[in-house]
Amino acid sequence: CAVAMLAVWRCESPRRRFHTWAFDISKQVVGAAYGKCYNIAQATVLASVLEARRDRDDQCVWYLEGIVTDCFLTTFLCWGAVKIARPVLLKRCSIDIGNYEGKNEGSVGAAANGDLLDNGLQAGESPHAPILNLATLTAWLVQVIIWLGIITGVRLLITLILYLTQDVMYGFYAGVFLALHLRSELAKMIFAVLIFPAFGDTFQIVVQDCFLKKRSTHETDF
């Protein structure tokens, strides 16, 4: 995952300043850690609620359901939520997702349009501003809270969907373990927690970076 994060930054053009990229990617790190904790809690709760049904109480199956939907369905639903929230936050709260330093007085016009400046900086990023100060940290923290709120809303919806469709979904993911000849709890845990996320999380990182960074007018909607 760390390699994917660095590759996204190194390959982009124009490249964000390191600390801007670090702020952007750290939102993903916090969200990913929160998502993993949510998946564990979701698997535990759903397995406990359905403990009376012996064919629905495997936490590894519930965790695999959670991580697969997290990497794909949750990612795209969060993209949609961010796309809707971005202009509202900018207009109502003056919060521009991906911008941590406010407007640069010398580029107010460009900043209003989200254009890139000649020096490669995003509009609104001052080359003379301290990398870390109270304002940038506050802007980052506010955006992290917004991001966690979006994740929570989407994940609660998906949890409800997984519960309501358990007859189909649980059987499908239990069948995945059977198809891969993974019958022991240890083997299923290694696949669900380590092997699949190595690929799924990489996909999620690349996609989420597209909509969690500051947008410019030259970028089309993802």
Short mmCIF file of all heavy atoms in Angstrom, two decimals, residues 10 37 45 75 98 102 104 183 188 209:
data_model
loop_
_atom_site.label_atom_id
_atom_site.label_comp_id
_atom_site.label_asym_id
_atom_site.label_seq_id
_atom_site.Cartn_x
_atom_site.Cartn_y
_atom_site.Cartn_z
N ARG A 10 4.46 10.08 -7.36
CA ARG A 10 5.60 10.23 -8.26
C ARG A 10 5.18 10.29 -9.72
O ARG A 10 5.85 10.92 -10.54
CB ARG A 10 6.57 9.06 -8.06
CG ARG A 10 7.23 9.02 -6.69
CD ARG A 10 8.18 10.15 -6.46
NE ARG A 10 9.30 10.14 -7.40
CZ ARG A 10 10.27 11.05 -7.40
NH1 ARG A 10 10.24 12.07 -6.55
NH2 ARG A 10 11.25 10.96 -8.28
N CYS A 37 -11.26 -1.12 11.35
CA CYS A 37 -11.91 -1.28 12.66
C CYS A 37 -13.41 -1.49 12.48
O CYS A 37 -14.02 -2.31 13.17
CB CYS A 37 -11.64 -0.06 13.54
SG CYS A 37 -9.92 0.12 14.05
N VAL A 45 -20.39 -8.13 15.16
CA VAL A 45 -21.80 -7.88 15.50
C VAL A 45 -22.74 -8.76 14.68
O VAL A 45 -23.65 -9.39 15.22
CB VAL A 45 -22.14 -6.39 15.29
CG1 VAL A 45 -23.65 -6.16 15.40
CG2 VAL A 45 -21.40 -5.53 16.30
N THR A 75 -15.99 2.61 -1.98
CA THR A 75 -15.13 3.59 -2.63
C THR A 75 -15.91 4.46 -3.60
O THR A 75 -15.81 5.70 -3.59
CB THR A 75 -13.97 2.90 -3.36
OG1 THR A 75 -13.17 2.20 -2.41
CG2 THR A 75 -13.11 3.91 -4.11
N GLY A 98 -8.88 19.28 -0.11
CA GLY A 98 -7.54 19.20 -0.68
C GLY A 98 -6.73 20.47 -0.55
O GLY A 98 -5.54 20.48 -0.82
N GLY A 102 -5.65 27.86 2.40
CA GLY A 102 -6.46 29.02 2.07
C GLY A 102 -5.97 29.65 0.79
O GLY A 102 -5.13 29.13 0.07
N ASN A 104 -4.11 32.26 -1.72
CA ASN A 104 -2.92 33.09 -1.84
C ASN A 104 -3.35 34.44 -2.41
O ASN A 104 -4.00 34.52 -3.45
CB ASN A 104 -1.91 32.42 -2.78
CG ASN A 104 -0.66 33.26 -2.97
OD1 ASN A 104 -0.44 34.22 -2.23
ND2 ASN A 104 0.15 32.90 -3.94
N ARG A 183 -10.51 -23.85 4.43
CA ARG A 183 -11.51 -24.35 5.39
C ARG A 183 -11.15 -24.04 6.83
O ARG A 183 -12.03 -23.92 7.66
CB ARG A 183 -11.71 -25.86 5.19
CG ARG A 183 -12.40 -26.19 3.85
CD ARG A 183 -12.58 -27.67 3.64
NE ARG A 183 -13.43 -27.94 2.47
CZ ARG A 183 -13.01 -27.90 1.22
NH1 ARG A 183 -11.74 -27.59 0.97
NH2 ARG A 183 -13.84 -28.16 0.22
N LYS A 188 -8.62 -18.85 6.27
CA LYS A 188 -9.62 -17.86 5.84
C LYS A 188 -9.25 -16.47 6.34
O LYS A 188 -9.43 -15.47 5.63
CB LYS A 188 -11.00 -18.28 6.36
CG LYS A 188 -11.56 -19.50 5.65
CD LYS A 188 -13.01 -19.76 5.99
CE LYS A 188 -13.19 -20.29 7.39
NZ LYS A 188 -14.60 -20.70 7.65
N ASP A 209 -7.53 8.75 -4.18
CA ASP A 209 -6.63 9.90 -4.34
C ASP A 209 -7.15 10.85 -5.41
O ASP A 209 -6.91 12.05 -5.35
CB ASP A 209 -5.22 9.43 -4.70
CG ASP A 209 -4.22 10.57 -4.70
OD1 ASP A 209 -3.97 11.14 -3.62
OD2 ASP A 209 -3.71 10.91 -5.78
#
